[in-house]
Amino acid sequence: MLSEIQETRVGSLQTFQSTQLVKDKYENILEHLDSGIILFNRHGMLTFINVQMARLLGASRSSIMGCSLTQILRQSQLSRFNKRKILRIYKETIFYRKRHHELSDENGRYWLLTVTYGDQMDGDFLLSAKDVSEHKQIEQTAYQNDKLAMLGKISASIAHEIRNPLTAIRGFIQLLRPHLLQLGKDEYTRIILMEIDRANDIICEFLNSSKPSAPQTISVPVIPLLKEVVLLTESEALLKGCQIVLDEGQLSLNILVDVKQIKQVILNLIKNALDAIGDVGHYHVGMIKLEVKEERNNVDIHISDNGKGMDHNTLTRLFDPFFTTKLSGTGLGLSVSYRIIKNHGGTISVDSSVGEGTKFVISLPKAK
């Protein structure tokens, strides 16, 4: 009888230990998932938070464990940015019964937050956060391609219809020019012709942005190519009190590109940098730096400036056709550049903050 009791106790102890091991194992898995997890009980107290969620909140796990939402919001570790996000999620979940939330963190990464509650949770609230930055980037790229395709259709349909009447107007104005010259109104002729040419240039931009010609690639040394572009912009930079610096450390690197198209892209980026520096003020000493780096099978061209920089909203729309922050801009320069680099099998990225300048990185195939 005694031995049976002892066997039962040993069996119970082994079962308990086995259960505890399984529990510890699963808790360890939850704690180190790449998705963030946080659990509140029916009384609103935090009972579990894993490493990723604590990192996302910017708070230590020990300091907020067992706290209510109000106590968490009082934590000095939490940034104002994160406190606002928490309040927004709370309001949308409680008042609007919203279960899925999409948000971005302070580093610009996108997260999908899912809230689970109800009978299956026995009164608890489970929040899980998954990093969907890569999916968001794919989505934005697809959206960008759709817009460029639509732009192509619009450009192709309007270019022919507008160019024909412009050509006729230009011809008749030139016929009338001698008569206007006799009346002392030649300045009017000059202005009309100049504006017609400007309209034609805009149409050309439409066509280029819709379908840039296939690149005729050749192997060229990257530093001499950049030198040529710098020479084209030096006079404008001097007039604006700006200095353009080219780091010539990678003289031996060659890239496989269409020279004319790549010059167009780099020229556009430098002119944008000059405009951004000019917007800061007359007493600001402008600096544009061009640097070349080798990255495996690619060559990266870095173009950075100390201009006014851009906010997050501007960055997300930067390569959209027709989007511009300039009063006289068409909003096509960067969308054209984006398409040209893509056609070369490369990438173009940008990093910027308000008041801290902007850096573009163009990655192009290295010539073998």
Side-chain angles (χ1 to χ4, degrees):
M1 182 70 178
L2 187 61
S3 61
E4 287 180 4
I5 294 171
Q6 286 176 335
E7 284 178 11
T8 304
R9 284 179 177 176
V10 169
S12 298
L13 181 61
Q14 287 175 340
T15 302
F16 174 77
Q17 288 174 337
S18 177
T19 304
Q20 191 63 39
L21 282 171
V22 171
K23 182 186 174 185
D24 291 344
K25 180 182 177 180
Y26 282 115
E27 274 193 10
N28 188 52
I29 291 169
L30 287 173
E31 281 178 4
H32 296 93
L33 278 176
D34 58 356
S35 297
I37 294 174
I38 190 169
L39 183 68
F40 289 91
N41 65 18
R42 65 176 63 197
H43 305 296
M45 308 302 288
L46 193 156
T47 55
F48 179 82
I49 180 169
N50 73 348
V51 174
Q52 181 65 273
M53 185 62 88
R55 191 180 295 129
L56 184 58
L57 290 175
S60 65
R61 296 166 69 196
S62 58
S63 66
I64 58 175
M65 188 67 74
C67 291
S68 66
L69 185 63
T70 306
Q71 290 170 329
I72 292 171
L73 290 171
R74 287 176 183 162
Q75 291 284 330
S76 58
Q77 299 174 52
L78 262 68
S79 66
R80 187 177 296 178
F81 178 87
N82 281 339
K83 287 178 181 178
R84 283 200 300 266
K85 294 286 184 187
I86 292 169
L87 277 173
R88 195 199 86 188
I89 293 164
Y90 174 78
K91 287 176 182 177
E92 290 178 357
T93 302
I94 300 300
F95 297 115
Y96 304 110
R97 300 294 177 184
K98 192 173 177 182
R99 289 177 179 265
H100 302 283
H101 310 262
E102 193 174 280
L103 51 97
S104 58
D105 62 22
E106 290 172 292
N107 298 316
R109 297 193 69 79
Y110 289 91
W111 296 83
L112 180 64
L113 192 75
T114 304
V115 184
T116 308
Y117 58 88
D119 294 337
Q120 72 269 30
M121 292 300 298
D122 195 26
D124 292 350
F125 281 77
L126 175 68
L127 290 87
S128 60
K130 184 174 178 62
D131 188 346
V132 292
S133 300
E134 288 185 11
H135 298 286
K136 195 74 176 175
Q137 189 175 7
I138 293 167
E139 182 185 289
Q140 287 173 347
T141 302
Y143 181 54
Q144 177 79 10
N145 290 338
D146 286 345
K147 283 189 288 187
L148 287 169
M150 184 176 289
L151 175 62
K153 292 176 183 178
I154 294 169
S155 302
S157 63
I158 67 171
H160 181 72
E161 297 300 325
I162 294 177
R163 267 183 167 170
N164 282 346
L166 283 177
T167 303
I169 293 167
R170 200 179 202 288
F172 283 117
I173 288 295
Q174 286 175 323
L175 288 173
L176 290 170
R177 191 165 197 171
H179 303 288
L180 292 170
L181 184 61
Q182 288 177 359
L183 295 171
K185 303 295 184 183
D186 188 53
E187 181 66 14
Y188 292 173
T189 310
R190 190 188 65 79
I191 291 169
I192 293 169
L193 290 173
M194 186 175 67
E195 290 303 306
I196 289 171
D197 289 341
R198 192 165 74 90
N200 267 317
D201 287 342
I202 292 170
I203 292 167
C204 286
E205 282 194 62
F206 283 166
L207 292 172
N208 285 335
S209 60
S210 62
K211 192 177 180 182
S213 57
Q216 305 297 312
T217 59
I218 59 170
S219 175
V220 293
V222 64
I223 294 297
L225 185 147
L226 293 177
K227 275 184 179 179
E228 288 180 29
V229 180
V230 170
L231 282 172
L232 290 171
T233 53
E234 263 186 342
S235 57
E236 187 180 348
L238 287 170
L239 288 171
K240 293 187 176 182
C242 180
Q243 186 179 2
I244 302 177
V245 177
L246 171 60
D247 184 347
E248 300 183 27
Q250 297 283 359
L251 281 170
S252 60
L253 285 177
N254 281 32
I255 49 177
L256 201 62
V257 295
D258 184 310
V259 175
K260 185 179 176 182
Q261 289 187 3
I262 295 303
K263 275 186 180 180
Q264 179 187 345
V265 171
I266 297 167
L267 192 62
N268 183 50
L269 294 180
I270 292 176
K271 285 190 173 182
N272 284 349
L274 287 170
D275 290 339
I277 289 167
D279 290 340
V280 175
H282 294 296
Y283 300 104
H284 180 68
V285 179
M287 175 70 74
I288 298 171
K289 187 175 181 181
L290 283 78
E291 192 177 4
V292 177
K293 294 182 180 180
E294 185 176 7
E295 295 289 340
R296 295 186 180 178
N297 296 323
N298 291 329
V299 174
D300 289 355
I301 302 169
H302 296 244
I303 303 171
S304 56
D305 67 67
N306 61 346
K308 64 177 183 178
M310 293 175 279
D311 58 26
H312 181 68
N313 290 332
T314 302
L315 283 172
T316 56
R317 299 186 60 194
L318 199 61
F319 297 106
D320 289 0
F322 307 115
F323 174 75
T324 181
T325 57
K326 302 176 188 177
L327 293 174
S328 59
T330 60
L332 290 169
L334 285 174
S335 65
V336 172
S337 299
Y338 175 89
R339 179 63 71 90
I340 288 171
I341 298 300
K342 186 181 174 188
N343 286 351
H344 277 77
T347 60
I348 180 169
S349 60
V350 59
D351 183 32
S352 184
S353 298
V354 176
E356 295 182 12
T358 301
K359 177 188 275 189
F360 281 90
V361 178
I362 300 168
S363 185
L364 293 164
K366 184 170 62 174
K368 295 179 180 178

